[in-house]
Coordinates of all heavy atoms in Angstrom, one line a residue:
Q121 N 0.9 -1.2 0.0 CA 0.0 0.0 0.0 C 0.9 1.2 0.0 O 1.8 1.3 0.8 CB -0.9 0.0 1.2 CG -1.8 1.2 1.3 CD -2.7 1.1 2.5 OE1 -2.9 0.0 3.2 NE2 -3.3 2.2 2.9
P122 N 0.7 2.2 -0.9 CA 1.5 3.4 -0.9 C 1.5 4.1 0.4 O 0.5 4.2 1.1 CB 0.8 4.3 -2.0 CG 0.0 3.3 -2.8 CD -0.4 2.2 -1.9
N123 N 2.7 4.6 0.8 CA 2.9 5.4 2.0 C 2.7 4.7 3.3 O 2.7 5.3 4.3 CB 2.0 6.7 2.0 CG 2.3 7.6 0.8 OD1 3.5 7.7 0.4 ND2 1.4 8.2 0.3
V124 N 2.7 3.4 3.2 CA 2.6 2.6 4.4 C 3.7 1.5 4.3 O 3.6 0.6 3.5 CB 1.2 1.9 4.6 CG1 1.2 1.0 5.8 CG2 0.1 2.9 4.7
W125 N 4.6 1.6 5.2 CA 5.7 0.6 5.2 C 5.6 -0.2 6.5 O 5.7 0.4 7.6 CB 7.1 1.3 5.1 CG 8.2 0.4 5.1 CD1 8.7 -0.3 3.9 CD2 9.1 -0.1 6.1 NE1 9.7 -1.1 4.2 CE2 10.0 -1.0 5.6 CE3 9.1 0.2 7.5 CZ2 11.0 -1.6 6.4 CZ3 10.1 -0.4 8.2 CH2 11.0 -1.3 7.7
D126 N 5.5 -1.5 6.3 CA 5.5 -2.3 7.5 C 6.6 -3.3 7.6 O 6.5 -4.4 8.1 CB 4.1 -3.0 7.7 CG 3.8 -3.9 6.5 OD1 4.6 -4.0 5.5 OD2 2.7 -4.5 6.5
G127 N 7.7 -2.9 6.9 CA 8.9 -3.8 7.0 C 9.1 -4.6 5.7 O 8.2 -4.6 4.8
V128 N 10.2 -5.3 5.7 CA 10.5 -6.2 4.5 C 9.5 -7.4 4.6 O 9.3 -7.9 5.7 CB 11.9 -6.7 4.6 CG1 12.3 -7.7 3.6 CG2 12.9 -5.5 4.6
P129 N 9.0 -7.8 3.5 CA 8.0 -8.9 3.5 C 8.7 -10.2 4.1 O 9.9 -10.4 4.0 CB 7.7 -9.2 2.0 CG 8.0 -7.9 1.4 CD 9.1 -7.3 2.2
D130 N 7.8 -11.0 4.8 CA 8.3 -12.2 5.5 C 9.1 -13.1 4.6 O 10.1 -13.7 5.0 CB 7.2 -12.9 6.2 CG 6.6 -12.1 7.4 OD1 7.4 -11.3 8.0 OD2 5.5 -12.3 7.8
D131 N 8.6 -13.3 3.4 CA 9.2 -14.3 2.5 C 10.7 -13.8 2.1 O 11.6 -14.6 2.0 CB 8.4 -14.5 1.2 CG 8.2 -13.3 0.4 OD1 8.0 -12.2 1.0 OD2 8.1 -13.4 -0.8
V132 N 10.9 -12.5 2.0 CA 12.2 -12.0 1.7 C 13.1 -12.2 2.9 O 14.3 -12.6 2.8 CB 12.1 -10.5 1.3 CG1 13.5 -10.0 1.1 CG2 11.3 -10.4 0.0
L133 N 12.6 -11.9 4.1 CA 13.4 -12.1 5.3 C 13.8 -13.6 5.5 O 15.0 -13.9 5.8 CB 12.6 -11.7 6.6 CG 12.3 -10.2 6.7 CD1 11.3 -10.0 7.9 CD2 13.6 -9.4 6.9
E134 N 12.9 -14.5 5.2 CA 13.2 -15.9 5.3 C 14.3 -16.3 4.3 O 15.1 -17.1 4.6 CB 11.9 -16.7 5.0 CG 10.9 -16.7 6.2 CD 9.6 -17.4 5.9 OE1 9.6 -18.2 5.0 OE2 8.6 -17.1 6.6
Q135 N 14.2 -15.7 3.1 CA 15.2 -16.1 2.1 C 16.6 -15.7 2.6 O 17.6 -16.4 2.2 CB 15.0 -15.3 0.8 CG 13.8 -15.7 0.0 CD 13.5 -14.8 -1.2 OE1 14.3 -14.0 -1.5 NE2 12.4 -15.0 -1.8
H136 N 16.7 -14.7 3.4 CA 18.0 -14.3 3.9 C 18.3 -14.7 5.3 O 19.4 -14.4 5.9 CB 18.1 -12.7 3.8 CG 18.0 -12.2 2.4 ND1 19.1 -12.2 1.6 CD2 17.0 -11.7 1.7 CE1 18.8 -11.7 0.4 NE2 17.5 -11.4 0.5
G137 N 17.4 -15.5 5.9 CA 17.6 -16.1 7.2 C 17.6 -15.1 8.3 O 18.3 -15.3 9.3
V138 N 16.8 -14.1 8.2 CA 16.7 -13.1 9.2 C 15.2 -12.8 9.6 O 14.3 -13.3 8.9 CB 17.3 -11.7 8.8 CG1 18.8 -11.9 8.6 CG2 16.7 -11.2 7.5
A139 N 15.0 -12.2 10.7 CA 13.7 -11.9 11.1 C 13.7 -10.6 12.0 O 14.7 -10.3 12.6 CB 13.1 -13.0 12.0
Y140 N 12.6 -9.9 12.0 CA 12.5 -8.7 12.9 C 12.2 -9.2 14.3 O 11.5 -10.1 14.6 CB 11.3 -7.9 12.4 CG 11.6 -7.1 11.2 CD1 10.9 -7.3 10.0 CD2 12.5 -6.1 11.2 CE1 11.1 -6.6 8.9 CE2 12.8 -5.3 10.0 CZ 12.0 -5.6 8.9 OH 12.3 -4.8 7.8
D141 N 12.8 -8.4 15.2 CA 12.5 -8.6 16.7 C 11.2 -7.9 16.9 O 11.0 -6.8 16.6 CB 13.6 -7.9 17.5 CG 13.4 -8.0 19.0 OD1 12.9 -9.0 19.4 OD2 13.7 -7.0 19.6
E142 N 10.2 -8.6 17.6 CA 8.9 -8.1 17.8 C 8.9 -6.8 18.6 O 8.2 -5.9 18.4 CB 8.0 -9.1 18.5 CG 7.7 -10.3 17.6 CD 6.9 -9.9 16.4 OE1 6.0 -9.0 16.5 OE2 7.2 -10.5 15.3
E143 N 9.9 -6.7 19.6 CA 10.0 -5.5 20.4 C 10.4 -4.3 19.5 O 9.8 -3.2 19.6 CB 11.0 -5.7 21.5 CG 11.2 -4.5 22.4 CD 12.2 -4.7 23.5 OE1 12.6 -5.8 23.7 OE2 12.6 -3.7 24.1
W144 N 11.3 -4.5 18.5 CA 11.7 -3.5 17.6 C 10.6 -3.0 16.7 O 10.4 -1.8 16.5 CB 12.9 -4.0 16.8 CG 13.5 -2.9 15.9 CD1 14.4 -2.1 16.2 CD2 13.1 -2.7 14.5 NE1 14.7 -1.3 15.1 CE2 13.9 -1.6 14.1 CE3 12.1 -3.2 13.7 CZ2 13.8 -1.1 12.8 CZ3 12.0 -2.7 12.4 CH2 12.8 -1.7 12.0
L145 N 9.8 -4.0 16.2 CA 8.7 -3.7 15.4 C 7.7 -2.8 16.1 O 7.1 -1.8 15.6 CB 8.0 -4.9 14.9 CG 8.7 -5.6 13.7 CD1 8.0 -6.9 13.4 CD2 8.8 -4.8 12.5
A146 N 7.4 -3.1 17.4 CA 6.4 -2.4 18.1 C 6.8 -0.9 18.3 O 6.0 0.0 18.4 CB 6.2 -3.1 19.5
K147 N 8.2 -0.7 18.4 CA 8.7 0.7 18.6 C 8.8 1.5 17.3 O 8.6 2.7 17.3 CB 10.0 0.6 19.3 CG 10.1 0.1 20.7 CD 11.5 0.0 21.2 CE 11.5 -0.5 22.6 NZ 12.9 -0.7 23.0
C148 N 9.2 0.8 16.3 CA 9.6 1.5 15.1 C 8.6 1.4 13.9 O 8.7 2.3 13.0 CB 10.9 1.0 14.6 SG 12.2 1.2 15.9
V149 N 7.7 0.5 13.9 CA 6.8 0.4 12.7 C 5.4 0.4 13.3 O 4.7 -0.5 13.5 CB 7.0 -0.9 12.0 CG1 6.1 -1.0 10.7 CG2 8.5 -1.1 11.5
D150 N 4.9 1.7 13.6 CA 3.6 1.9 14.2 C 2.8 2.7 13.2 O 2.9 3.9 13.1 CB 3.8 2.7 15.5 CG 2.5 2.9 16.3 OD1 1.4 2.6 15.7 OD2 2.5 3.3 17.4
Q151 N 1.9 2.0 12.5 CA 1.1 2.6 11.5 C 0.2 3.7 12.0 O -0.3 4.5 11.3 CB 0.4 1.6 10.6 CG 1.3 0.6 9.9 CD 2.3 1.2 9.0 OE1 2.1 2.3 8.5 NE2 3.4 0.5 8.8
S152 N -0.2 3.6 13.3 CA -1.1 4.6 13.8 C -0.5 6.0 13.9 O -1.2 7.0 14.0 CB -1.6 4.2 15.2 OG -0.5 4.2 16.2
K153 N 0.9 6.0 13.8 CA 1.6 7.3 13.8 C 2.1 7.8 12.5 O 2.9 8.7 12.4 CB 2.7 7.2 14.9 CG 2.2 6.9 16.3 CD 3.4 6.8 17.2 CE 2.9 6.6 18.6 NZ 4.0 6.4 19.6
R154 N 1.7 7.1 11.4 CA 2.3 7.4 10.1 C 2.0 8.8 9.6 O 2.7 9.3 8.7 CB 1.9 6.4 9.1 CG 0.5 6.4 8.7 CD 0.2 5.4 7.6 NE -1.2 5.4 7.2 CZ -2.0 4.5 7.4 NH1 -1.7 3.4 8.1 NH2 -3.3 4.6 6.9
G155 N 1.0 9.5 10.1 CA 0.7 10.8 9.7 C 1.5 11.9 10.4 O 1.4 13.1 10.0
I156 N 2.2 11.6 11.4 CA 3.0 12.5 12.2 C 4.2 12.9 11.4 O 5.0 12.1 11.0 CB 3.3 12.0 13.6 CG1 2.0 11.7 14.4 CG2 4.2 13.0 14.4 CD1 2.3 11.0 15.7
I157 N 4.5 14.2 11.2 CA 5.6 14.7 10.6 C 6.8 14.8 11.6 O 6.6 15.5 12.6 CB 5.4 16.0 9.8 CG1 4.3 15.8 8.8 CG2 6.6 16.6 9.2 CD1 3.8 17.1 8.1
A158 N 7.9 14.2 11.2 CA 9.1 14.3 12.1 C 9.6 15.7 12.3 O 9.6 16.5 11.3 CB 10.2 13.4 11.6
E159 N 10.0 16.0 13.5 CA 10.6 17.4 13.7 C 11.9 17.1 14.5 O 12.1 16.3 15.3 CB 9.7 18.2 14.6 CG 8.4 18.5 14.0 CD 7.5 19.4 14.9 OE1 8.0 20.1 15.7 OE2 6.3 19.2 14.8
W160 N 12.9 17.9 14.1 CA 14.3 17.9 14.7 C 14.6 19.2 15.4 O 14.2 20.2 14.9 CB 15.3 17.5 13.7 CG 15.2 16.1 13.2 CD1 15.9 15.0 13.7 CD2 14.4 15.7 12.1 NE1 15.5 13.9 12.9 CE2 14.6 14.3 12.0 CE3 13.5 16.3 11.2 CZ2 14.0 13.5 11.0 CZ3 12.9 15.5 10.2 CH2 13.2 14.2 10.1
D161 N 15.5 19.1 16.4 CA 16.0 20.4 17.0 C 17.2 20.9 16.2 O 17.6 20.2 15.2 CB 16.3 20.2 18.5 CG 17.4 19.3 18.8 OD1 18.2 18.9 17.9 OD2 17.6 18.9 20.0
E162 N 17.8 22.0 16.6 CA 18.9 22.6 15.9 C 20.1 21.7 15.9 O 21.0 21.9 15.1 CB 19.2 24.0 16.4 CG 19.7 24.0 17.9 CD 18.5 24.0 18.9 OE1 17.3 24.1 18.5 OE2 18.8 23.9 20.1
N163 N 20.2 20.7 16.8 CA 21.3 19.8 16.9 C 21.1 18.5 16.1 O 21.9 17.6 16.2 CB 21.7 19.5 18.3 CG 22.1 20.7 19.0 OD1 22.9 21.5 18.5 ND2 21.6 20.9 20.2
G164 N 19.9 18.4 15.4 CA 19.7 17.2 14.7 C 19.0 16.1 15.5 O 19.0 14.9 15.0
N165 N 18.6 16.3 16.7 CA 17.9 15.3 17.5 C 16.4 15.3 17.2 O 15.8 16.3 17.1 CB 18.1 15.7 19.0 CG 19.5 15.7 19.4 OD1 20.3 14.8 19.2 ND2 19.9 16.8 20.0
L166 N 15.9 14.0 17.0 CA 14.5 13.8 16.7 C 13.7 14.2 17.9 O 13.9 13.7 19.0 CB 14.3 12.4 16.3 CG 12.9 12.0 15.8 CD1 12.6 12.8 14.5 CD2 12.8 10.5 15.5
L167 N 12.7 15.1 17.7 CA 11.8 15.5 18.7 C 10.5 14.7 18.7 O 9.9 14.5 19.7 CB 11.5 17.0 18.6 CG 12.7 17.9 18.7 CD1 12.3 19.4 18.3 CD2 13.3 17.9 20.0
T168 N 9.9 14.4 17.5 CA 8.7 13.7 17.4 C 8.8 12.4 16.7 O 9.8 12.1 16.1 CB 7.6 14.6 16.6 OG1 8.2 14.8 15.3 CG2 7.3 15.8 17.3

């Protein structure tokens, strides 16, 4: 689906013998927050 990234497809991960850590997915791939625009401070630190 355009503009929605939920990670590399499972079949591709399996081909390479890797998998996502469920804890990492919960923190980094949250589709409920996909409309939030990232903001950084003057030092390049992510604020949102």
Side-chain angles (χ1 to χ4, degrees):
Q121 178 176 347
N123 298 327
V124 176
W125 184 81
D126 58 0
V128 176
D130 289 335
D131 61 323
V132 175
L133 292 173
E134 288 176 18
Q135 289 175 9
H136 295 279
V138 295
Y140 285 114
D141 176 38
E142 291 299 321
E143 183 180 346
W144 184 87
L145 282 174
K147 291 178 185 176
C148 300
V149 184
D150 184 352
Q151 298 304 335
S152 70
K153 296 180 180 179
R154 70 179 182 247
I156 298 173
I157 298 173
E159 296 179 33
W160 290 267
D161 67 13
E162 65 275 354
N163 297 315
N165 298 308
L166 186 61
L167 299 172
T168 58

